[in-house]
Amino acid sequence: MLDSIDKEILNRIQGDFPVSGDPYGDIGREVGIPADEVLDRVKRLKGDGIIRKVGPFFDAKRMGHKSTLCAVDVPEEKIEETADIISGYVEVTHNYLRLGHPNIWFTLIARDAGEIDRILAEISEKAGVGPIRNLPARKMFKIKVDLKLEKN
Amino acid sequence: MNEKDIEIIRALQNEEVYLTLDPFGEIARDLGMDKSKLLEAVNDLKERGAIRRFGAAITPHKAGFTSNAMVAWEVDEDMEEAAAGIMAAHPRVSHCYLRPPFEDFPYTLYTMTHANSPEDLDEILEEMSEKTGVKKRRVLKSVKEFKKSSPVYFP
């Protein structure tokens, strides 16, 4: 269970973890508890899986990388095998089975569009599936997971 | 990106370090840099937009957001920018993009929405539909998560 201080910490650090010489002290002063207690709580939240990661989120485009969402329709009996092949690429960051057709949806980040084409061709070849739809964003309006938790 | 930036970006991707009291001190030591210089460099990467944010990512379903959906909306081209802007402004929408259509799939506006229950999700999607006038949508409900990870830059 999350208490109100946990929620306050989560709301604070989702959007902005202090880039400072004393980040946990900074958060603690805002929340009203000592730095080491903030750290203990964050460690517990991480251990419980409520926090997936603390750290930097890079802008793929500004880092000179290309990102895309891909979709492919795969027959029932080939789903697991195909998903394994797709997930095996370090460039694949998300991979889901979804209802409807196409049924496998995954995201890819690579150094350039050519590299993305090469990986998609390889997946298609190895798994014997296709066509894989390559759907790079024409325009990005929002990318920010900052879900405010309401206090009890 | 110069060599120094890349070296710092590599070091910043060691996520264990953020669960210590002085993460930037540790990273600076690893890089053989002054902590103050490292903080300056990290803030510079933020200002340049290479780091879009420094923060914590939650696992939505473990934090009470049990109904999450990727939704693709079918929207007229002359309305798409306005509709995307309105949807992006919703606090429960984390991702919002325009993407190309493909065969038998005319949907082009993609959103990720996070809700506390299936009813809450339906309500939010209805609200998004009413505010934009976009009626046709496909809720791409996830059946199984095979992978969810952070990208690795300059491995």
Side-chain angles (χ1 to χ4, degrees):
Chain A
M1 261 321 273
L2 300 173
D3 68 19
S4 63
I5 295 176
D6 291 335
K7 289 182 181 180
E8 215 177 315
I9 292 171
L10 286 170
N11 286 343
R12 171 64 174 82
I13 66 173
Q14 269 190 84
D16 187 24
F17 181 86
V19 176
S20 82
D22 183 22
Y24 288 100
D26 294 344
I27 301 162
R29 276 182 287 281
E30 287 175 32
V31 180
I33 57 173
D36 50 1
E37 192 189 330
V38 179
L39 178 59
D40 285 345
R41 282 173 180 266
V42 170
K43 278 185 177 166
R44 172 171 51 78
L45 293 166
K46 178 90 192 326
D48 290 348
I50 292 164
I51 292 176
R52 179 170 64 83
K53 116 171 197 188
V54 179
F57 291 83
F58 296 100
D59 182 312
K61 205 170 161 186
R62 293 237 163 90
M63 295 281 277
H65 283 55
K66 294 271 185 233
S67 63
T68 188
L69 174 71
C70 300
V72 58
D73 202 45
V74 176
E76 185 75 36
E77 68 276 10
K78 290 186 94 164
I79 288 174
E80 289 293 327
E81 184 202 346
T82 305
D84 277 352
I85 290 170
I86 294 170
S87 295
Y89 288 87
V90 65
E91 292 87 352
V92 170
T93 55
H94 298 66
N95 185 15
Y96 287 86
L97 178 65
R98 296 186 181 278
L99 281 186
H101 305 281
N103 54 3
I104 293 186
W105 294 77
F106 59 99
T107 55
L108 241 172
I109 296 184
R111 282 185 181 225
D112 54 56
E115 183 69 3
I116 289 176
D117 290 344
R118 189 191 65 73
I119 291 169
L120 296 183
E122 210 175 278
I123 291 170
S124 201
E125 165 85 29
K126 273 198 222 164
V129 298
I132 301 178
R133 310 294 181 174
N134 180 8
L135 310 168
R138 280 190 283 129
K139 190 162 177 183
M140 196 269 276
F141 289 83
K142 189 178 196 179
I143 173 167
K144 192 176 194 212
V145 183
D146 188 4
L147 300 168
K148 297 302 179 206
L149 303 170
E150 282 154 32
K151 288 202 184 166
N152 306 341
Chain B
M1 294 289 143
N2 59 38
E3 273 309 308
K4 191 78 203 165
D5 290 332
I6 291 175
E7 201 191 327
I8 290 170
I9 287 162
R10 282 201 183 106
L12 290 175
Q13 291 179 92
N14 165 20
E15 288 168 19
E16 295 307 310
V17 82
Y18 303 107
L19 299 180
T20 63
L21 271 181
D22 184 18
F24 297 101
E26 301 266 341
I27 295 169
R29 264 192 297 283
D30 286 347
L31 289 169
M33 273 175 93
D34 274 355
K35 184 159 118 176
S36 61
K37 283 269 184 291
L38 173 71
L39 290 169
E40 242 173 66
V42 176
N43 280 312
D44 183 51
L45 286 167
K46 277 177 79 176
E47 266 163 43
R48 284 153 59 194
I51 295 176
R52 57 184 162 81
R53 84 185 156 102
F54 226 103
I58 62 165
T59 309
H61 69 92
K62 289 199 176 169
F65 296 95
T66 47
S67 290
N68 306 288
M70 181 161 91
V71 179
W73 306 79
E74 184 181 345
V75 52
D76 292 339
E77 225 175 305
D78 55 338
M79 279 181 55
E80 62 180 20
E81 299 245 339
I86 292 168
M87 289 190 185
H90 198 291
R92 295 293 190 79
V93 170
S94 61
H95 298 67
C96 182
Y97 303 87
L98 286 168
R99 300 185 183 277
F102 57 91
E103 206 186 314
D104 299 327
F105 201 93
Y107 311 90
T108 54
L109 174 52
Y110 286 72
T111 57
M112 275 299 307
T113 304
H114 307 272
N116 297 313
S117 65
E119 296 75 32
D120 185 33
L121 179 65
D122 283 345
E123 237 172 76
I124 294 170
L125 296 182
E126 266 315 299
E127 190 188 328
M128 288 161 67
S129 171
E130 271 167 33
K131 278 190 183 163
T132 56
V134 181
K135 301 261 186 298
K136 287 188 196 156
R137 62 177 181 248
R138 276 265 313 262
V139 179
L140 300 161
K141 197 176 162 19
S142 69
V143 180
K144 191 169 177 185
E145 180 179 282
F146 297 116
K147 184 175 187 182
K148 186 169 168 74
S149 65
S150 287
V152 181
Y153 293 97
F154 309 112

